[in-house]
PDB file of all heavy atoms in Angstrom:
ATOM      1  N   PHE A  70      19.316  -1.766  30.639  1.00  0.00           N
ATOM      2  CA  PHE A  70      20.047  -2.986  30.966  1.00  0.00           C
ATOM      3  C   PHE A  70      20.628  -2.852  32.371  1.00  0.00           C
ATOM      4  O   PHE A  70      21.564  -2.099  32.588  1.00  0.00           O
ATOM      5  CB  PHE A  70      21.159  -3.207  29.939  1.00  0.00           C
ATOM      6  CG  PHE A  70      21.935  -4.481  30.139  1.00  0.00           C
ATOM      7  CD1 PHE A  70      21.332  -5.715  29.952  1.00  0.00           C
ATOM      8  CD2 PHE A  70      23.270  -4.440  30.499  1.00  0.00           C
ATOM      9  CE1 PHE A  70      22.051  -6.894  30.121  1.00  0.00           C
ATOM     10  CE2 PHE A  70      23.998  -5.609  30.673  1.00  0.00           C
ATOM     11  CZ  PHE A  70      23.383  -6.838  30.483  1.00  0.00           C
ATOM     12  N   PRO A  72      21.567  -5.632  34.894  1.00  0.00           N
ATOM     13  CA  PRO A  72      21.702  -7.013  35.375  1.00  0.00           C
ATOM     14  C   PRO A  72      22.138  -7.068  36.832  1.00  0.00           C
ATOM     15  O   PRO A  72      22.747  -6.136  37.355  1.00  0.00           O
ATOM     16  CB  PRO A  72      22.779  -7.588  34.452  1.00  0.00           C
ATOM     17  CG  PRO A  72      23.625  -6.394  34.105  1.00  0.00           C
ATOM     18  CD  PRO A  72      22.664  -5.247  34.002  1.00  0.00           C
ATOM     19  N   SER A  95      37.027  -4.493  35.492  1.00  0.00           N
ATOM     20  CA  SER A  95      35.614  -4.705  35.201  1.00  0.00           C
ATOM     21  C   SER A  95      35.357  -6.203  35.238  1.00  0.00           C
ATOM     22  O   SER A  95      36.196  -6.995  34.799  1.00  0.00           O
ATOM     23  CB  SER A  95      35.282  -4.137  33.823  1.00  0.00           C
ATOM     24  OG  SER A  95      33.974  -4.513  33.416  1.00  0.00           O
ATOM     25  N   VAL A  96      34.198  -6.596  35.739  1.00  0.00           N
ATOM     26  CA  VAL A  96      33.899  -8.015  35.851  1.00  0.00           C
ATOM     27  C   VAL A  96      32.420  -8.263  35.544  1.00  0.00           C
ATOM     28  O   VAL A  96      31.564  -7.437  35.870  1.00  0.00           O
ATOM     29  CB  VAL A  96      34.278  -8.547  37.257  1.00  0.00           C
ATOM     30  CG1 VAL A  96      33.525  -7.816  38.349  1.00  0.00           C
ATOM     31  CG2 VAL A  96      34.042 -10.050  37.365  1.00  0.00           C
ATOM     32  N   TYR A  97      32.142  -9.397  34.885  1.00  0.00           N
ATOM     33  CA  TYR A  97      30.758  -9.777  34.626  1.00  0.00           C
ATOM     34  C   TYR A  97      30.695 -11.285  34.359  1.00  0.00           C
ATOM     35  O   TYR A  97      31.669 -11.899  33.922  1.00  0.00           O
ATOM     36  CB  TYR A  97      30.184  -9.006  33.439  1.00  0.00           C
ATOM     37  CG  TYR A  97      30.748  -9.385  32.081  1.00  0.00           C
ATOM     38  CD1 TYR A  97      30.126 -10.352  31.284  1.00  0.00           C
ATOM     39  CD2 TYR A  97      31.893  -8.774  31.591  1.00  0.00           C
ATOM     40  CE1 TYR A  97      30.639 -10.701  30.049  1.00  0.00           C
ATOM     41  CE2 TYR A  97      32.416  -9.117  30.360  1.00  0.00           C
ATOM     42  CZ  TYR A  97      31.787 -10.076  29.590  1.00  0.00           C
ATOM     43  OH  TYR A  97      32.306 -10.416  28.368  1.00  0.00           O
ATOM     44  N   PRO A  98      29.537 -11.908  34.592  1.00  0.00           N
ATOM     45  CA  PRO A  98      29.350 -13.332  34.277  1.00  0.00           C
ATOM     46  C   PRO A  98      28.766 -13.496  32.877  1.00  0.00           C
ATOM     47  O   PRO A  98      27.970 -12.668  32.418  1.00  0.00           O
ATOM     48  CB  PRO A  98      28.346 -13.784  35.342  1.00  0.00           C
ATOM     49  CG  PRO A  98      27.498 -12.571  35.552  1.00  0.00           C
ATOM     50  CD  PRO A  98      28.381 -11.361  35.332  1.00  0.00           C
ATOM     51  N   THR A  99      29.138 -14.573  32.189  1.00  0.00           N
ATOM     52  CA  THR A  99      28.571 -14.813  30.860  1.00  0.00           C
ATOM     53  C   THR A  99      27.090 -15.145  30.933  1.00  0.00           C
ATOM     54  O   THR A  99      26.410 -15.166  29.901  1.00  0.00           O
ATOM     55  CB  THR A  99      29.328 -15.940  30.141  1.00  0.00           C
ATOM     56  OG1 THR A  99      29.376 -17.097  30.990  1.00  0.00           O
ATOM     57  CG2 THR A  99      30.736 -15.512  29.800  1.00  0.00           C
ATOM     58  N   GLU A 100      26.576 -15.375  32.128  1.00  0.00           N
ATOM     59  CA  GLU A 100      25.131 -15.576  32.302  1.00  0.00           C
ATOM     60  C   GLU A 100      24.347 -14.378  31.770  1.00  0.00           C
ATOM     61  O   GLU A 100      23.209 -14.523  31.314  1.00  0.00           O
ATOM     62  CB  GLU A 100      24.793 -15.787  33.777  1.00  0.00           C
ATOM     63  CG  GLU A 100      25.387 -17.042  34.389  1.00  0.00           C
ATOM     64  CD  GLU A 100      25.271 -17.036  35.906  1.00  0.00           C
ATOM     65  OE1 GLU A 100      24.215 -16.619  36.412  1.00  0.00           O
ATOM     66  OE2 GLU A 100      26.241 -17.422  36.578  1.00  0.00           O
ATOM     67  N   TRP A 101      24.942 -13.171  31.864  1.00  0.00           N
ATOM     68  CA  TRP A 101      24.254 -11.991  31.355  1.00  0.00           C
ATOM     69  C   TRP A 101      23.962 -12.139  29.863  1.00  0.00           C
ATOM     70  O   TRP A 101      22.915 -11.690  29.377  1.00  0.00           O
ATOM     71  CB  TRP A 101      25.097 -10.745  31.595  1.00  0.00           C
ATOM     72  CG  TRP A 101      25.176 -10.324  33.025  1.00  0.00           C
ATOM     73  CD1 TRP A 101      24.574 -10.928  34.102  1.00  0.00           C
ATOM     74  CD2 TRP A 101      25.894  -9.207  33.541  1.00  0.00           C
ATOM     75  NE1 TRP A 101      24.883 -10.258  35.253  1.00  0.00           N
ATOM     76  CE2 TRP A 101      25.679  -9.197  34.953  1.00  0.00           C
ATOM     77  CE3 TRP A 101      26.689  -8.222  32.980  1.00  0.00           C
ATOM     78  CZ2 TRP A 101      26.247  -8.227  35.780  1.00  0.00           C
ATOM     79  CZ3 TRP A 101      27.260  -7.259  33.796  1.00  0.00           C
ATOM     80  CH2 TRP A 101      27.023  -7.259  35.189  1.00  0.00           C
ATOM     81  N   LEU A 102      24.890 -12.722  29.121  1.00  0.00           N
ATOM     82  CA  LEU A 102      24.687 -12.940  27.692  1.00  0.00           C
ATOM     83  C   LEU A 102      23.787 -14.145  27.447  1.00  0.00           C
ATOM     84  O   LEU A 102      22.989 -14.151  26.508  1.00  0.00           O
ATOM     85  CB  LEU A 102      26.040 -13.125  26.999  1.00  0.00           C
ATOM     86  CG  LEU A 102      26.912 -11.870  26.952  1.00  0.00           C
ATOM     87  CD1 LEU A 102      28.338 -12.225  26.565  1.00  0.00           C
ATOM     88  CD2 LEU A 102      26.343 -10.852  25.972  1.00  0.00           C
ATOM     89  N   ASN A 103      23.926 -15.156  28.284  1.00  0.00           N
ATOM     90  CA  ASN A 103      23.057 -16.329  28.163  1.00  0.00           C
ATOM     91  C   ASN A 103      21.584 -15.937  28.257  1.00  0.00           C
ATOM     92  O   ASN A 103      20.721 -16.519  27.598  1.00  0.00           O
ATOM     93  CB  ASN A 103      23.374 -17.351  29.257  1.00  0.00           C
ATOM     94  CG  ASN A 103      24.546 -18.246  28.892  1.00  0.00           C
ATOM     95  OD1 ASN A 103      24.883 -18.398  27.731  1.00  0.00           O
ATOM     96  ND2 ASN A 103      25.176 -18.817  29.894  1.00  0.00           N
ATOM     97  N   LEU A 105      20.181 -13.526  27.086  1.00  0.00           N
ATOM     98  CA  LEU A 105      19.712 -12.941  25.825  1.00  0.00           C
ATOM     99  C   LEU A 105      19.649 -13.966  24.697  1.00  0.00           C
ATOM    100  O   LEU A 105      19.232 -13.645  23.591  1.00  0.00           O
ATOM    101  CB  LEU A 105      20.653 -11.794  25.402  1.00  0.00           C
ATOM    102  CG  LEU A 105      20.591 -10.538  26.258  1.00  0.00           C
ATOM    103  CD1 LEU A 105      21.752  -9.608  25.918  1.00  0.00           C
ATOM    104  CD2 LEU A 105      19.267  -9.826  26.065  1.00  0.00           C
ATOM    105  N   ILE A 116      34.099 -13.116  33.315  1.00  0.00           N
ATOM    106  CA  ILE A 116      35.074 -12.362  32.528  1.00  0.00           C
ATOM    107  C   ILE A 116      35.596 -11.209  33.376  1.00  0.00           C
ATOM    108  O   ILE A 116      34.820 -10.378  33.849  1.00  0.00           O
ATOM    109  CB  ILE A 116      34.449 -11.816  31.229  1.00  0.00           C
ATOM    110  CG1 ILE A 116      33.714 -12.928  30.473  1.00  0.00           C
ATOM    111  CG2 ILE A 116      35.521 -11.170  30.358  1.00  0.00           C
ATOM    112  CD1 ILE A 116      34.567 -14.085  30.056  1.00  0.00           C
ATOM    113  N   GLU A 118      38.243  -8.074  33.347  1.00  0.00           N
ATOM    114  CA  GLU A 118      39.109  -7.182  32.566  1.00  0.00           C
ATOM    115  C   GLU A 118      39.883  -6.287  33.522  1.00  0.00           C
ATOM    116  O   GLU A 118      39.291  -5.672  34.420  1.00  0.00           O
ATOM    117  CB  GLU A 118      38.271  -6.346  31.613  1.00  0.00           C
ATOM    118  CG  GLU A 118      37.454  -7.173  30.635  1.00  0.00           C
ATOM    119  CD  GLU A 118      36.488  -6.346  29.829  1.00  0.00           C
ATOM    120  OE1 GLU A 118      35.747  -5.543  30.420  1.00  0.00           O
ATOM    121  OE2 GLU A 118      36.488  -6.495  28.601  1.00  0.00           O
ATOM    122  N   LYS A 161      41.304 -10.726  30.712  1.00  0.00           N
ATOM    123  CA  LYS A 161      41.688 -10.011  29.501  1.00  0.00           C
ATOM    124  C   LYS A 161      41.989  -8.572  29.875  1.00  0.00           C
ATOM    125  O   LYS A 161      41.673  -8.130  30.984  1.00  0.00           O
ATOM    126  CB  LYS A 161      40.568 -10.085  28.456  1.00  0.00           C
ATOM    127  CG  LYS A 161      39.211  -9.665  28.978  1.00  0.00           C
ATOM    128  CD  LYS A 161      38.105  -9.843  27.952  1.00  0.00           C
ATOM    129  CE  LYS A 161      38.133  -8.735  26.939  1.00  0.00           C
ATOM    130  NZ  LYS A 161      36.868  -8.691  26.143  1.00  0.00           N
ATOM    131  N   PRO A 168      33.148   1.336  27.503  1.00  0.00           N
ATOM    132  CA  PRO A 168      31.895   1.802  28.115  1.00  0.00           C
ATOM    133  C   PRO A 168      31.554   0.997  29.369  1.00  0.00           C
ATOM    134  O   PRO A 168      31.146  -0.162  29.277  1.00  0.00           O
ATOM    135  CB  PRO A 168      30.861   1.602  27.011  1.00  0.00           C
ATOM    136  CG  PRO A 168      31.453   0.585  26.096  1.00  0.00           C
ATOM    137  CD  PRO A 168      32.936   0.702  26.189  1.00  0.00           C
ATOM    138  N   LEU A 169      31.728   1.623  30.517  1.00  0.00           N
ATOM    139  CA  LEU A 169      31.564   0.940  31.796  1.00  0.00           C
ATOM    140  C   LEU A 169      30.616   1.702  32.707  1.00  0.00           C
ATOM    141  O   LEU A 169      30.431   2.914  32.564  1.00  0.00           O
ATOM    142  CB  LEU A 169      32.921   0.814  32.512  1.00  0.00           C
ATOM    143  CG  LEU A 169      34.067   0.147  31.762  1.00  0.00           C
ATOM    144  CD1 LEU A 169      35.365   0.325  32.533  1.00  0.00           C
ATOM    145  CD2 LEU A 169      33.768  -1.338  31.557  1.00  0.00           C
ATOM    146  N   ILE A 178      31.474  -2.457  35.986  1.00  0.00           N
ATOM    147  CA  ILE A 178      30.853  -3.510  35.187  1.00  0.00           C
ATOM    148  C   ILE A 178      30.629  -2.935  33.788  1.00  0.00           C
ATOM    149  O   ILE A 178      30.452  -1.722  33.630  1.00  0.00           O
ATOM    150  CB  ILE A 178      29.523  -4.011  35.786  1.00  0.00           C
ATOM    151  CG1 ILE A 178      28.502  -2.883  35.880  1.00  0.00           C
ATOM    152  CG2 ILE A 178      29.745  -4.671  37.141  1.00  0.00           C
ATOM    153  CD1 ILE A 178      27.113  -3.345  36.320  1.00  0.00           C
ATOM    154  N   PRO A 179      30.654  -3.774  32.755  1.00  0.00           N
ATOM    155  CA  PRO A 179      30.500  -3.259  31.392  1.00  0.00           C
ATOM    156  C   PRO A 179      29.057  -2.874  31.076  1.00  0.00           C
ATOM    157  O   PRO A 179      28.120  -3.466  31.598  1.00  0.00           O
ATOM    158  CB  PRO A 179      30.956  -4.430  30.521  1.00  0.00           C
ATOM    159  CG  PRO A 179      30.653  -5.637  31.351  1.00  0.00           C
ATOM    160  CD  PRO A 179      30.897  -5.215  32.781  1.00  0.00           C
ATOM    161  N   LYS A 180      28.920  -1.893  30.207  1.00  0.00           N
ATOM    162  CA  LYS A 180      27.606  -1.581  29.667  1.00  0.00           C
ATOM    163  C   LYS A 180      27.266  -2.612  28.589  1.00  0.00           C
ATOM    164  O   LYS A 180      28.140  -3.298  28.047  1.00  0.00           O
ATOM    165  CB  LYS A 180      27.597  -0.174  29.059  1.00  0.00           C
ATOM    166  CG  LYS A 180      27.776   0.942  30.086  1.00  0.00           C
ATOM    167  CD  LYS A 180      27.690   2.304  29.427  1.00  0.00           C
ATOM    168  CE  LYS A 180      27.819   3.418  30.469  1.00  0.00           C
ATOM    169  NZ  LYS A 180      27.727   4.771  29.848  1.00  0.00           N
ATOM    170  N   LEU A 181      25.988  -2.708  28.278  1.00  0.00           N
ATOM    171  CA  LEU A 181      25.544  -3.667  27.280  1.00  0.00           C
ATOM    172  C   LEU A 181      26.231  -3.416  25.940  1.00  0.00           C
ATOM    173  O   LEU A 181      26.550  -4.364  25.206  1.00  0.00           O
ATOM    174  CB  LEU A 181      24.026  -3.583  27.117  1.00  0.00           C
ATOM    175  CG  LEU A 181      23.393  -4.522  26.091  1.00  0.00           C
ATOM    176  CD1 LEU A 181      23.724  -5.978  26.393  1.00  0.00           C
ATOM    177  CD2 LEU A 181      21.880  -4.314  26.055  1.00  0.00           C
ATOM    178  N   GLU A 182      26.480  -2.158  25.610  1.00  0.00           N
ATOM    179  CA  GLU A 182      27.132  -1.822  24.349  1.00  0.00           C
ATOM    180  C   GLU A 182      28.500  -2.506  24.237  1.00  0.00           C
ATOM    181  O   GLU A 182      28.874  -3.013  23.181  1.00  0.00           O
ATOM    182  CB  GLU A 182      27.289  -0.308  24.215  1.00  0.00           C
ATOM    183  CG  GLU A 182      25.999   0.449  23.972  1.00  0.00           C
ATOM    184  CD  GLU A 182      25.168   0.722  25.216  1.00  0.00           C
ATOM    185  OE1 GLU A 182      25.570   0.266  26.316  1.00  0.00           O
ATOM    186  OE2 GLU A 182      24.132   1.396  25.108  1.00  0.00           O
ATOM    187  N   GLN A 183      29.255  -2.521  25.326  1.00  0.00           N
ATOM    188  CA  GLN A 183      30.553  -3.190  25.302  1.00  0.00           C
ATOM    189  C   GLN A 183      30.398  -4.698  25.168  1.00  0.00           C
ATOM    190  O   GLN A 183      31.126  -5.354  24.413  1.00  0.00           O
ATOM    191  CB  GLN A 183      31.355  -2.890  26.568  1.00  0.00           C
ATOM    192  CG  GLN A 183      32.697  -3.623  26.571  1.00  0.00           C
ATOM    193  CD  GLN A 183      33.462  -3.513  27.864  1.00  0.00           C
ATOM    194  OE1 GLN A 183      33.255  -2.581  28.634  1.00  0.00           O
ATOM    195  NE2 GLN A 183      34.354  -4.464  28.101  1.00  0.00           N
ATOM    196  N   LEU A 184      29.439  -5.265  25.895  1.00  0.00           N
ATOM    197  CA  LEU A 184      29.241  -6.712  25.846  1.00  0.00           C
ATOM    198  C   LEU A 184      28.972  -7.192  24.422  1.00  0.00           C
ATOM    199  O   LEU A 184      29.497  -8.222  23.990  1.00  0.00           O
ATOM    200  CB  LEU A 184      28.070  -7.115  26.745  1.00  0.00           C
ATOM    201  CG  LEU A 184      28.241  -6.930  28.251  1.00  0.00           C
ATOM    202  CD1 LEU A 184      26.988  -7.393  28.977  1.00  0.00           C
ATOM    203  CD2 LEU A 184      29.452  -7.691  28.760  1.00  0.00           C
ATOM    204  N   LEU A 185      28.167  -6.450  23.683  1.00  0.00           N
ATOM    205  CA  LEU A 185      27.806  -6.875  22.336  1.00  0.00           C
ATOM    206  C   LEU A 185      28.989  -6.791  21.381  1.00  0.00           C
ATOM    207  O   LEU A 185      29.204  -7.689  20.560  1.00  0.00           O
ATOM    208  CB  LEU A 185      26.636  -6.038  21.817  1.00  0.00           C
ATOM    209  CG  LEU A 185      25.332  -6.147  22.625  1.00  0.00           C
ATOM    210  CD1 LEU A 185      24.236  -5.325  21.973  1.00  0.00           C
ATOM    211  CD2 LEU A 185      24.895  -7.593  22.791  1.00  0.00           C
ATOM    212  N   VAL A 186      29.767  -5.717  21.482  1.00  0.00           N
ATOM    213  CA  VAL A 186      30.958  -5.596  20.628  1.00  0.00           C
ATOM    214  C   VAL A 186      31.958  -6.694  20.954  1.00  0.00           C
ATOM    215  O   VAL A 186      32.510  -7.356  20.062  1.00  0.00           O
ATOM    216  CB  VAL A 186      31.610  -4.207  20.775  1.00  0.00           C
ATOM    217  CG1 VAL A 186      32.938  -4.151  20.009  1.00  0.00           C
ATOM    218  CG2 VAL A 186      30.678  -3.118  20.270  1.00  0.00           C
ATOM    219  N   ASP A 187      32.201  -6.931  22.242  1.00  0.00           N
ATOM    220  CA  ASP A 187      33.152  -7.971  22.635  1.00  0.00           C
ATOM    221  C   ASP A 187      32.688  -9.352  22.198  1.00  0.00           C
ATOM    222  O   ASP A 187      33.500 -10.207  21.845  1.00  0.00           O
ATOM    223  CB  ASP A 187      33.358  -7.950  24.157  1.00  0.00           C
ATOM    224  CG  ASP A 187      34.248  -6.806  24.615  1.00  0.00           C
ATOM    225  OD1 ASP A 187      34.858  -6.153  23.747  1.00  0.00           O
ATOM    226  OD2 ASP A 187      34.324  -6.567  25.831  1.00  0.00           O
ATOM    227  N   LEU A 188      31.380  -9.582  22.212  1.00  0.00           N
ATOM    228  CA  LEU A 188      30.861 -10.876  21.791  1.00  0.00           C
ATOM    229  C   LEU A 188      31.071 -11.086  20.295  1.00  0.00           C
ATOM    230  O   LEU A 188      31.363 -12.200  19.846  1.00  0.00           O
ATOM    231  CB  LEU A 188      29.377 -10.990  22.131  1.00  0.00           C
ATOM    232  CG  LEU A 188      28.726 -12.337  21.818  1.00  0.00           C
ATOM    233  CD1 LEU A 188      29.394 -13.459  22.603  1.00  0.00           C
ATOM    234  CD2 LEU A 188      27.239 -12.300  22.122  1.00  0.00           C
ATOM    235  N   ILE A 189      30.923 -10.023  19.509  1.00  0.00           N
ATOM    236  CA  ILE A 189      31.185 -10.131  18.073  1.00  0.00           C
ATOM    237  C   ILE A 189      32.639 -10.519  17.825  1.00  0.00           C
ATOM    238  O   ILE A 189      32.943 -11.389  17.003  1.00  0.00           O
ATOM    239  CB  ILE A 189      30.848  -8.801  17.365  1.00  0.00           C
ATOM    240  CG1 ILE A 189      29.336  -8.566  17.370  1.00  0.00           C
ATOM    241  CG2 ILE A 189      31.385  -8.789  15.934  1.00  0.00           C
ATOM    242  CD1 ILE A 189      28.925  -7.207  16.860  1.00  0.00           C
ATOM    243  N   ILE A 190      33.545  -9.884  18.553  1.00  0.00           N
ATOM    244  CA  ILE A 190      34.968 -10.200  18.402  1.00  0.00           C
ATOM    245  C   ILE A 190      35.264 -11.585  18.973  1.00  0.00           C
ATOM    246  O   ILE A 190      35.949 -12.405  18.365  1.00  0.00           O
ATOM    247  CB  ILE A 190      35.831  -9.145  19.126  1.00  0.00           C
ATOM    248  CG1 ILE A 190      35.541  -7.746  18.590  1.00  0.00           C
ATOM    249  CG2 ILE A 190      37.314  -9.462  18.975  1.00  0.00           C
ATOM    250  CD1 ILE A 190      36.120  -6.632  19.433  1.00  0.00           C
ATOM    251  N   ASN A 191      34.750 -11.828  20.186  1.00  0.00           N
ATOM    252  CA  ASN A 191      34.889 -13.113  20.888  1.00  0.00           C
ATOM    253  C   ASN A 191      36.340 -13.583  20.974  1.00  0.00           C
ATOM    254  O   ASN A 191      36.631 -14.778  20.823  1.00  0.00           O
ATOM    255  CB  ASN A 191      34.023 -14.186  20.245  1.00  0.00           C
ATOM    256  CG  ASN A 191      33.439 -15.145  21.268  1.00  0.00           C
ATOM    257  OD1 ASN A 191      33.443 -14.875  22.461  1.00  0.00           O
ATOM    258  ND2 ASN A 191      32.933 -16.273  20.798  1.00  0.00           N
ATOM    259  N   ILE A 195      34.794 -15.659  24.894  1.00  0.00           N
ATOM    260  CA  ILE A 195      33.822 -15.355  25.937  1.00  0.00           C
ATOM    261  C   ILE A 195      32.779 -16.462  26.001  1.00  0.00           C
ATOM    262  O   ILE A 195      32.554 -17.070  27.038  1.00  0.00           O
ATOM    263  CB  ILE A 195      33.147 -13.993  25.672  1.00  0.00           C
ATOM    264  CG1 ILE A 195      34.190 -12.876  25.735  1.00  0.00           C
ATOM    265  CG2 ILE A 195      32.038 -13.744  26.686  1.00  0.00           C
ATOM    266  CD1 ILE A 195      33.654 -11.525  25.300  1.00  0.00           C
ATOM    267  N   VAL A 203      25.449 -15.486  17.801  1.00  0.00           N
ATOM    268  CA  VAL A 203      25.749 -14.102  18.182  1.00  0.00           C
ATOM    269  C   VAL A 203      24.679 -13.163  17.632  1.00  0.00           C
ATOM    270  O   VAL A 203      24.211 -12.243  18.312  1.00  0.00           O
ATOM    271  CB  VAL A 203      27.152 -13.686  17.679  1.00  0.00           C
ATOM    272  CG1 VAL A 203      27.379 -12.191  17.908  1.00  0.00           C
ATOM    273  CG2 VAL A 203      28.237 -14.494  18.384  1.00  0.00           C
ATOM    274  N   ILE A 206      21.564 -13.275  19.798  1.00  0.00           N
ATOM    275  CA  ILE A 206      21.743 -12.550  21.054  1.00  0.00           C
ATOM    276  C   ILE A 206      21.619 -11.048  20.827  1.00  0.00           C
ATOM    277  O   ILE A 206      20.947 -10.336  21.578  1.00  0.00           O
ATOM    278  CB  ILE A 206      23.099 -12.906  21.700  1.00  0.00           C
ATOM    279  CG1 ILE A 206      23.057 -14.343  22.237  1.00  0.00           C
ATOM    280  CG2 ILE A 206      23.459 -11.928  22.809  1.00  0.00           C
ATOM    281  CD1 ILE A 206      24.383 -14.846  22.780  1.00  0.00           C
ATOM    282  N   ILE A 207      22.268 -10.552  19.765  1.00  0.00           N
ATOM    283  CA  ILE A 207      22.228  -9.119  19.474  1.00  0.00           C
ATOM    284  C   ILE A 207      20.820  -8.690  19.082  1.00  0.00           C
ATOM    285  O   ILE A 207      20.340  -7.627  19.503  1.00  0.00           O
ATOM    286  CB  ILE A 207      23.252  -8.775  18.386  1.00  0.00           C
ATOM    287  CG1 ILE A 207      24.669  -8.929  18.953  1.00  0.00           C
ATOM    288  CG2 ILE A 207      23.035  -7.359  17.861  1.00  0.00           C
ATOM    289  CD1 ILE A 207      25.764  -8.733  17.945  1.00  0.00           C
ATOM    290  N   ALA A 210      18.864  -8.425  22.193  1.00  0.00           N
ATOM    291  CA  ALA A 210      19.283  -7.244  22.956  1.00  0.00           C
ATOM    292  C   ALA A 210      18.666  -5.978  22.368  1.00  0.00           C
ATOM    293  O   ALA A 210      18.193  -5.098  23.103  1.00  0.00           O
ATOM    294  CB  ALA A 210      20.806  -7.139  22.964  1.00  0.00           C
ATOM    295  N   LEU A 216      19.784   0.876  23.399  1.00  0.00           N
ATOM    296  CA  LEU A 216      21.195   0.850  23.040  1.00  0.00           C
ATOM    297  C   LEU A 216      21.634   2.229  22.571  1.00  0.00           C
ATOM    298  O   LEU A 216      20.882   2.918  21.883  1.00  0.00           O
ATOM    299  CB  LEU A 216      21.452  -0.161  21.920  1.00  0.00           C
ATOM    300  CG  LEU A 216      21.288  -1.646  22.250  1.00  0.00           C
ATOM    301  CD1 LEU A 216      21.466  -2.481  20.986  1.00  0.00           C
ATOM    302  CD2 LEU A 216      22.274  -2.079  23.312  1.00  0.00           C
ATOM    303  N   ILE A 221      28.498   2.282  20.926  1.00  0.00           N
ATOM    304  CA  ILE A 221      28.935   1.064  20.237  1.00  0.00           C
ATOM    305  C   ILE A 221      29.992   1.396  19.197  1.00  0.00           C
ATOM    306  O   ILE A 221      31.035   0.737  19.104  1.00  0.00           O
ATOM    307  CB  ILE A 221      27.732   0.359  19.584  1.00  0.00           C
ATOM    308  CG1 ILE A 221      26.814  -0.225  20.667  1.00  0.00           C
ATOM    309  CG2 ILE A 221      28.193  -0.733  18.626  1.00  0.00           C
ATOM    310  CD1 ILE A 221      25.514  -0.783  20.138  1.00  0.00           C
ATOM    311  N   TYR A 224      33.428   2.433  20.817  1.00  0.00           N
ATOM    312  CA  TYR A 224      34.164   1.307  21.382  1.00  0.00           C
ATOM    313  C   TYR A 224      34.665   0.374  20.277  1.00  0.00           C
ATOM    314  O   TYR A 224      35.797  -0.119  20.346  1.00  0.00           O
ATOM    315  CB  TYR A 224      33.279   0.536  22.358  1.00  0.00           C
ATOM    316  CG  TYR A 224      33.978  -0.644  22.994  1.00  0.00           C
ATOM    317  CD1 TYR A 224      35.131  -0.465  23.752  1.00  0.00           C
ATOM    318  CD2 TYR A 224      33.492  -1.938  22.834  1.00  0.00           C
ATOM    319  CE1 TYR A 224      35.784  -1.547  24.327  1.00  0.00           C
ATOM    320  CE2 TYR A 224      34.137  -3.020  23.406  1.00  0.00           C
ATOM    321  CZ  TYR A 224      35.281  -2.820  24.160  1.00  0.00           C
ATOM    322  OH  TYR A 224      35.925  -3.893  24.718  1.00  0.00           O
ATOM    323  N   LEU A 239      24.459  -3.163  13.956  1.00  0.00           N
ATOM    324  CA  LEU A 239      24.833  -2.287  15.061  1.00  0.00           C
ATOM    325  C   LEU A 239      25.513  -0.996  14.598  1.00  0.00           C
ATOM    326  O   LEU A 239      26.149  -0.322  15.402  1.00  0.00           O
ATOM    327  CB  LEU A 239      25.768  -3.024  16.038  1.00  0.00           C
ATOM    328  CG  LEU A 239      25.113  -4.124  16.872  1.00  0.00           C
ATOM    329  CD1 LEU A 239      26.130  -4.793  17.757  1.00  0.00           C
ATOM    330  CD2 LEU A 239      23.968  -3.556  17.705  1.00  0.00           C
TER     331      LEU A 239
END
Side-chain angles (χ1 to χ4, degrees):
F70 183 67
S95 171
V96 59
Y97 70 93
T99 53
E100 296 168 41
W101 289 0
L102 291 166
N103 277 339
L105 290 168
I116 310 300
E118 301 172 311
K161 52 184 282 195
L169 305 171
I178 60 174
K180 293 183 178 180
L181 179 57
E182 289 81 357
Q183 178 187 337
L184 293 181
L185 298 183
V186 173
D187 284 350
L188 184 61
I189 291 172
I190 302 168
N191 216 15
I195 296 172
V203 172
I206 289 175
I207 291 175
L216 292 175
I221 291 172
Y224 180 60
L239 289 178

